[in-house]
Amino acid sequence: MKEPVIEMRNITKRFGDVTANENVNLSLYPGEIHALLGENGAGKSTLMNVLTGIYKPNSGEIYYQGKKVSIKSPKQAVDMGIGMVHQHFRLIPPLSVAENVFLYMPNCSTVLRQKEMEDAITACSKEFHLDVDASAKVWQLSVGEQQRVEIVKLLYRGAEILILDEPSAVLTAQEAVEMFKVLRRMADSGKSVIIISHKMNEVMQNADRITVLKNGRVEDTMEAKDATVQRLTKAVVGEREFVPQIRDSHNYSEETVLYVEDLSVKNDKGLNAVNHVSFSVHAGEIFGIAGVAGNGQKELTEAVAGLRRAENGKITVKGEDLTKLSIRKHIDKGVSFIPEDRLSMGLVPGLDLSENMILKHFGWEKFSRKGILKKKAIDEITKDYIQKYEIKTAGVHSPVGLMSGGNQQKLLIAREINGSPSLLVASYPVRGLDIGATEAIHKILLEESEKGTAILLVSEELDELFQMADRIGVMCDGNMMAVLNREDADYDTIGRLMSGEKL
Amino acid sequence: MRKLRLEKKSTSSGLSILLNSLLFVALALVFCGFIIGAVGFNPLEVYGKMFSKAFLSSRGIRKAIESGLPLMLCGLGVSVAFRMNLNNIGAEGQYAVGAIFGAAFALYGPKLPGILGILALAVCCFTGGALWALLSAAPKAFWDVDESITTLMLNYIALILLSYLCLGPWKAKGQNVGQTEKIAENLALPEISGLKISTAFPVVIVIALLLFGFYKYTASGYQINVIGKSLTAAKYAGINIKKNIILVLALSGGLAGLAGFVQYAGITGRVQENMPNNAGYTGIVIAYLSRFNPLVVIIVSILFAGLQNSSATVQVMGVPAQIATMMQGAIMIIVIAGDFFQRYKIVSDKKGGRAS
Ligand SMILES: Nc1ncnc2c1ncn2[C@@H]1O[C@H](COP(=O)(O)OP(=O)(O)OP(=O)(O)O)[C@@H](O)[C@H]1O
Ligand SMILES: [Mg+2]
């Protein structure tokens, strides 16, 4: 067998009392795609941050091509050929693709020649069949395209080892397939790839080897061909049985909670994003919205939550016309919103868990009296949530920005659900969650709907919608193509509607 | 070889912030020491003189507290706004307008008995500063006009208005300098008997404590915090941004206006042509150095005031008075640069990971 390019030996990394990695061993061979799996907070991101020089391990060694090295900074890692695409991209929106790539070149000439830069990048991306337009501005690109820019950035700087933190979480199914083709091509050319993922099927199909982390330790490591869903599930969450939550009967009431009529909404660029959409969601109903991301779902949900102005049409909640009313009015009327952008909208990373818990409800009697916050009570309630939803954190007073991605999501959902909403708008609520947490969230959503909450569930995963929704509306290009009962819907029909074909 | 490098820190305790700041103040003093040396004096001697004059005698401490009072209020006012990411550069002007309103009350207002008169005077000064800040707050809230520019511009207008009044219609008879008549006996703030410190000092401490509690324990303070940390999240949470801009800038300006009150009723007894004397700008520096913590503002203000006072004393040695201004600048720049080390820690590669 070949020599590993990277060997991490006995890596331990602690943050105060939290041990994020403990005696982790990981080897990476040239030409392989290696997948890292594990629960939220298992230490995957931390391990990769150690490898790319962002964190220094408390103990342990890293060997690069058999030689012991100490990686002191991301820059040094890049010079050694190790590059990482973070879950939150680090591109500068007003600059062009070429400018973004060259921004990181240490020794390019002072005078930048636009044409030369673009040609160089086009050549580099051609090599791996990465489809990017070097002259486009980054803000114009879709998430999938931005990710390709991040990859080009690394390739152009000569990366031999690419690390991608949950790369498929934000991609459409089609984009994910494309991305894995690119990654495979890179592996075939002798480079090595590490991907972090929560999606077992995707990992089994695309990776060569799989390592599962649990509580900071390596739980299992295997060849992808030896992997089964059972074995992976067991390694990720332990012996617990997982029965997918399936909604058996749908007996939602006649009462209409959300009524959207002829709604049109513009996006940030001022273009029509939602065109004359009408639908209604009843008490106790889960109404799924299917569609490739970027077809108006974001604008639709934001309009329903009161965050975006309706250009046309009407939004009614429990009989009250909320179209022109403030966000506060929406919240008071019982509209909860799990936005897709949790870190910049749903949570304040610089504040602690308790403070984030009361973000919308600090005025409630149980949280404050006559404008004075009940600190003790708030902490107690936050602790309850932490326990109930199994949120991993260093404590109610540690900043939310330091929590792992999945745990941030759980906190956000806990808050939104505990407002006893009459309408819950949930955008991709399980994005970035491990299977255990996904099941837990699905269970919570089902319980909520049993209680009579109307739920608007936006998802790209058809499986999730078939499992959860009573009715499914399909969006394409800002239009509601059709609304189907779950019994009448199948993958094929929905897939065709999603791509714009009429019924 | 032992190499040093930077690593992002997860948390920093209050104590480590304090120690860090002290370290960088010391560094700033060393830096200034070189310049004092270059001008031809012995820095140790100069520092020794300054320190003993300003902080080792009860008179020095009293003076430092006294001249620190307006700085404290300006610092507190600026902090309130900065906490919400509102750049109120206008404490200077708000201070001036506060003083103008105070003088107007003393000159034309009704004669109220006892403590009532003093309270009314304070309310007038607060209102003056608050109104002046509202001139910037309203355009900011409704048309998103940059408040740093408007507050700054309004300073010039306020200062010119102040000197016009002090040199013109309100000028005390038989005086050469631009200042108003002495304040009526019943409007002046008394001294704490025995200590020879104005009662304004405990009042300011109470204000700082109230602000501390306001930030920490009230829903309004919480909202300011959220807006300051993430505007998007604040909007998402349905927090009324416009209302908070108006309220916070008014409070900020009002506190700066109170600087006019303590100076007028507590120290000078007259409103003077150049009364703010840069306290509004120094307040910005103090707010930054205190990291917007109201209790720290009190301490830093006293230190800054002592520094300014002591520079006068070393003038006798021939040291230029501008030395104090330079030291203030140096301390600010170096401490703020040092803020970096608050967020990152220096780790040595030798210990810990044996990876070398
Ligand atoms: N800078 C930090 N300071 C303190 N604790 C941290 C820091 N970074 C991570 N942690 C903690 O370390 C643990 C592991 O976090 P990490 O981000 O590596 O998890 P993860 O496996 O990537 O999870 P997810 O799938 O949710 O992204 C978590 O408990 C997290 O709260
Ligand atoms: Mg992670």
Side-chain angles (χ1 to χ4, degrees), chain A residues 239-361:
Chain A
E239 292 293 351
R240 273 186 286 166
E241 264 304 315
F242 274 100
V243 217
Q245 300 288 332
I246 299 207
R247 189 163 169 90
D248 24 55
S249 65
H250 68 288
N251 43 359
Y252 54 86
S253 78
E254 288 294 300
E255 186 201 349
T256 305
V257 174
L258 171 67
Y259 181 54
V260 174
E261 189 188 356
D262 200 26
L263 179 72
S264 297
V265 187
K266 291 202 155 117
N267 63 13
D268 290 337
K269 293 172 202 162
L271 307 172
N272 285 336
V274 177
N275 302 317
H276 304 283
V277 163
S278 304
F279 64 96
S280 56
V281 188
H282 302 87
E285 180 187 17
I286 299 184
F287 186 97
I289 297 225
V292 176
N295 277 277
Q297 297 96 321
K298 180 168 180 273
E299 290 77 9
L300 174 67
T301 52
E302 288 184 0
V304 170
L307 283 161
R308 202 175 272 275
R309 205 165 56 111
E311 299 294 323
N312 181 47
K314 215 161 117 176
I315 299 166
T316 315
V317 174
K318 285 201 148 174
E320 190 179 340
D321 185 352
L322 294 183
T323 322
K324 297 238 151 45
L325 298 185
S326 68
I327 305 161
R328 191 73 244 171
K329 286 268 161 32
H330 283 75
I331 297 172
D332 293 342
K333 193 72 196 168
V335 181
S336 274
F337 181 34
I338 299 166
E340 59 177 84
D341 198 350
R342 58 184 169 232
L343 263 197
S344 69
M345 185 181 276
L347 297 168
V348 187
L351 295 182
D352 66 24
L353 276 79
S354 289
E355 289 168 318
N356 271 284
M357 211 60 215
I358 57 168
L359 189 61
K360 285 179 167 180
H361 309 311

Side-chain angles (χ1 to χ4, degrees), chain B residues 322-335:
Chain B
Q322 282 83 353
I323 286 290
T325 320
M326 178 191 78
M327 282 169 68
Q328 276 179 19
I331 290 176
M332 173 165 112
I333 290 175
I334 296 183
V335 173

Side-chain angles (χ1 to χ4, degrees), chain A residues 119-162:
Chain A
D119 289 348
I121 286 159
T122 311
C124 172
S125 53
K126 278 250 173 66
E127 195 183 330
F128 292 97
H129 304 261
L130 270 162
D131 179 21
V132 295
D133 173 2
S135 60
K137 301 268 186 258
V138 164
W139 63 265
Q140 298 171 316
L141 305 180
S142 73
V143 185
E145 289 169 316
Q146 290 185 25
Q147 184 174 58
R148 290 201 285 273
V149 177
E150 287 277 13
I151 296 177
V152 170
K153 213 165 88 182
L154 296 182
L155 290 176
Y156 194 77
R157 285 190 284 172
E160 284 301 312
I161 295 155
L162 280 99

Side-chain angles (χ1 to χ4, degrees), chain B residues 117 152 156 163 185:
Chain B
L152 179 65
Y156 299 115
S163 44
E185 194 68 45

